[in-house]
Amino acid sequence: MSLIPIILAAGQGTRMRSALPKVLHPLAGKPLLQHVIDACCASGVTRAVIVYGHGGEQVQQAVHADASMQLDWALQAEQKGTGHAVAQGMATVADDDTVLVAYGDVPLVRSQTLEALAQGLEGSALCVLTTMVTDPSGYGRIVRDAQGRVTAIVEEKDADAPTRLIREINTGFIAARGADLKRWLARLSPQNAQGEYYLTDCVGLAVAEGLPVSTVACADALEVEGVNNRLQLARLEREAQRRQVERLMLEGVTVADPARLDARGSVSTGQDVFLDVNVVLTGHVVLGNRVTVGPGCVLTDVEIGDDCHIHAHSVLDGARLGAGCHVGPFARLRPDTVLEETARVGNFVEIKKARIGRGSKVNHLSYIGDTEMGTGVNIGAGTITCNYDGVNKHLTRIGDRVFIGSCSQLVAPVTVEEDAVIGAGSTITRTAPAGRLTLARARQVTINDWQRPVKEKK
Ligand code: UD1
Ligand code: CA
């Protein structure tokens, strides 16, 4: 016997008004459905079933599970209600398995809550996750008898006026054993206001059989809120961000304004990191001790060593920085950039697929691409590596302690050997030898008998 989540993800999500299947809309950088899969994974589940319909293959392509969890897919070709949807996912469920019904559009559910729901099944035949809301409209109401025992879940559209006043609602998440669920699902009928097979009718069936129904209360209504439109999506995005930023702060990060930091991936940080306002972290971000990130920076898939300072409005993507580097303001590091320790990259500099050696400086207005640079190099303002001949990319090699004068072009493939100095404004097309001054520009001339033209009189 095992615990098997059945995740419902077949609905079209009409109210999203989107070409993208609802469960694939991103929240905190990953699809809604992926959050639910990850929560199942975190609760130690080894197999989950996803009931899919709309956007079939696209949904299957867009999500994945860790190696520790197997994903099975069950097609619900036509959406005939939540009970019908769960029935489609039951094919591989054994009688003594415990089923946990979850939802692909309820992204903030926590693994602890799923575990609590499964535990709540001990001593009962059906356990329902409920929550209290101030406005219960649209939800199924939890109906209890005088002893407080659950007798039914009544959908809004089927509810009378007194029932509609009940503020304890059905989150939709339930736990039940395979054999019971199969029996109840087979007996569902669509004789209700929506003409659907309601999963919630299982409660009434269990009660009719004299079986105990239990509930687990979820204290945080946002955790079990589903996404039906983009307003709800935005609200849950804020909540997801709030959770992550709180975690970061508790781990030792100073955040200038918790409402103005967005993390859309995994972030791990050392101690005493400072993140200024409007920083966006995406993908896999690792920040060492005492790293500071200035306002408006966007960091994607980067590893930044201790004591680095990323100044305002810099964009780093796929870069690795050793300790003590300075970057920006207004710098752009593109994929496969490596800055070795204490390197400096200044304003309006773009670097792509290049290694900048220890202590080397590219401080102003330069493009460095496809380059291997040694240590202690100084690149003057406006230097360009001409790495592309229109067809192929070529490598530029710059040795240790080279000095490149401002506004030079290095036409790759080309090598500037160690300790070489390039005069400002040079176009270098051949090897510049070690330790020498190389210049490649027209000599300056002055025309002594030249006269300024004057305006012709008519
Ligand atoms: C359902 C519950 C209601 C609960 C509410 C919580 C039922 C009958 N009602 O109502 O008690 O308060 O959720 O949000 O269960 N889905 C499918 N296939 C279907 C139908 C639905 O995959 O045939 C999926 C939808 O994509 C959605 C989820 O199940 O993610 C819930 O379906 P929805 O129609 O939104 O249920 P509600 O009417 O909101
Ligand atoms: Ca419905």
Side-chain angles (χ1 to χ4, degrees):
M1 53 159 279
S2 46
L3 181 64
I4 302 176
I6 296 183
I7 305 172
L8 304 194
Q12 186 174 11
T14 319
R15 282 171 285 168
M16 294 297 283
R17 296 179 180 271
S18 174
L20 189 67
K22 177 166 76 173
V23 293
L24 295 190
H25 277 261
L27 181 110
K30 65 184 182 188
L32 296 173
L33 176 57
Q34 188 66 54
H35 286 267
V36 185
I37 294 170
D38 292 350
C40 292
C41 226
S43 63
V45 161
T46 55
R47 186 162 76 86
V49 180
I50 300 178
V51 178
Y52 72 105
H54 282 276
E57 259 187 27
Q58 202 184 345
V59 175
Q60 285 173 303
Q61 298 301 318
V63 298
H64 62 276
D66 282 6
S68 60
M69 191 170 89
Q70 180 190 330
L71 278 188
D72 289 344
W73 294 85
L75 176 66
Q76 186 194 26
E78 217 187 316
Q79 279 69 62
K80 298 183 187 170
T82 49
H84 180 259
V86 173
Q88 309 314 301
M90 293 295 289
T92 54
V93 172
D95 283 356
D96 62 350
D97 287 338
T98 293
V99 171
L100 232 162
V101 177
Y103 297 83
D105 58 0
V106 181
L108 297 186
V109 68
R110 283 184 296 200
S111 56
Q112 299 94 303
T113 302
L114 297 177
E115 288 161 26
L117 182 60
Q119 296 234 315
L121 190 61
E122 281 168 26
S124 74
L126 177 61
C127 186
V128 180
L129 186 68
T130 72
T131 192
M132 295 294 274
V133 291
T134 40
D135 176 13
S137 48
Y139 292 105
R141 309 299 203 278
I142 305 294
V143 179
R144 293 178 186 270
D145 65 14
Q147 284 73 47
R149 290 175 302 217
V150 178
T151 55
I153 296 175
V154 179
E155 293 303 297
E156 165 103 4
K157 287 184 176 146
D158 303 291
D160 58 16
T163 306
R164 286 189 182 196
L165 292 176
I166 297 171
R167 288 172 42 231
E168 187 188 10
I169 58 120
N170 171 31
T171 64
F173 289 80
I174 65 159
R177 273 167 288 271
D180 293 329
L181 205 47
K182 284 178 192 170
R183 194 173 64 253
W184 299 325
L185 291 173
R187 285 192 219 149
L188 294 181
S189 100
Q191 309 302 318
N192 52 54
Q194 301 184 82
E196 290 180 0
Y197 294 90
Y198 288 168
L199 178 65
T200 46
D201 286 349
C202 291
V203 172
L205 291 170
V207 171
E209 289 176 350
L211 297 171
V213 175
S214 61
T215 58
V216 166
C218 180
D220 177 6
L222 277 178
E223 191 190 327
V224 286
E225 185 166 325
V227 172
N228 291 305
N229 58 44
R230 299 187 201 233
L231 303 182
Q232 283 174 312
L233 182 62
R235 188 160 64 216
L236 296 191
E237 175 75 33
R238 280 303 99 213
E239 173 63 12
Q241 292 304 334
R242 194 187 61 76
R243 283 186 187 182
Q244 294 197 79
V245 172
E246 283 187 1
R247 174 181 67 81
L248 287 174
M249 292 191 294
L250 292 173
E251 285 173 4
V253 177
T254 297
V255 176
D257 180 356
R260 283 185 289 169
L261 169 67
D262 279 44
R264 300 173 190 155
S266 68
V267 182
S268 65
T269 57
Q271 271 193 338
D272 297 312
V273 167
F274 174 73
L275 303 177
D276 214 326
V277 298
N278 296 331
V279 167
V280 179
L281 307 173
T282 63
H284 183 65
V285 172
V286 179
L287 306 176
N289 295 313
R290 299 170 298 281
V291 166
T292 66
V293 181
C297 288
V298 181
L299 274 48
T300 306
D301 296 321
V302 293
E303 280 179 38
I304 296 184
D306 293 346
D307 300 296
C308 285
H309 300 287
I310 314 301
H311 302 286
H313 302 291
S314 295
V315 177
L316 281 62
D317 180 2
R320 205 147 43 80
L321 278 60
C325 293
H326 281 253
V327 173
F330 300 103
R332 181 176 182 205
L333 304 186
R334 292 170 53 199
D336 297 320
T337 291
V338 175
L339 305 189
E340 290 181 343
E341 55 195 71
T342 66
R344 282 175 178 255
V345 173
N347 40 222
F348 307 109
V349 172
E350 174 180 347
I351 300 193
K352 186 218 80 170
K353 199 174 182 183
R355 173 181 295 273
I356 309 298
R358 176 167 38 84
S360 292
K361 296 174 186 164
V362 189
N363 274 336
H364 330 269
L365 298 149
S366 291
Y367 171 65
I368 305 294
D370 301 291
T371 297
E372 280 291 332
M373 190 185 297
T375 64
V377 169
N378 195 319
I379 304 287
T383 297
I384 307 282
T385 54
C386 309
N387 59 330
Y388 186 51
D389 59 14
V391 184
N392 296 304
K393 302 273 170 61
H394 300 282
L395 189 68
T396 298
R397 287 196 174 81
I398 300 173
D400 295 343
R401 297 171 301 279
V402 159
F403 181 99
I404 309 274
S406 296
C407 220
S408 294
Q409 302 101 56
L410 309 174
V411 182
V414 72
T415 299
V416 181
E417 293 179 349
E418 58 185 32
D419 297 299
V421 174
I422 304 296
S426 293
T427 300
I428 301 298
T429 55
R430 283 176 288 139
T431 299
R436 305 278 172 75
L437 169 66
T438 299
L439 287 166
R441 65 176 187 233
R443 265 180 198 281
Q444 180 168 329
V445 293
T446 301
I447 314 295
N448 288 319
D449 57 357
W450 180 81
Q451 287 183 337
R452 267 195 190 200
V454 290
K455 190 107 178 161
E456 281 176 28
K457 288 201 182 91
K458 290 205 182 118

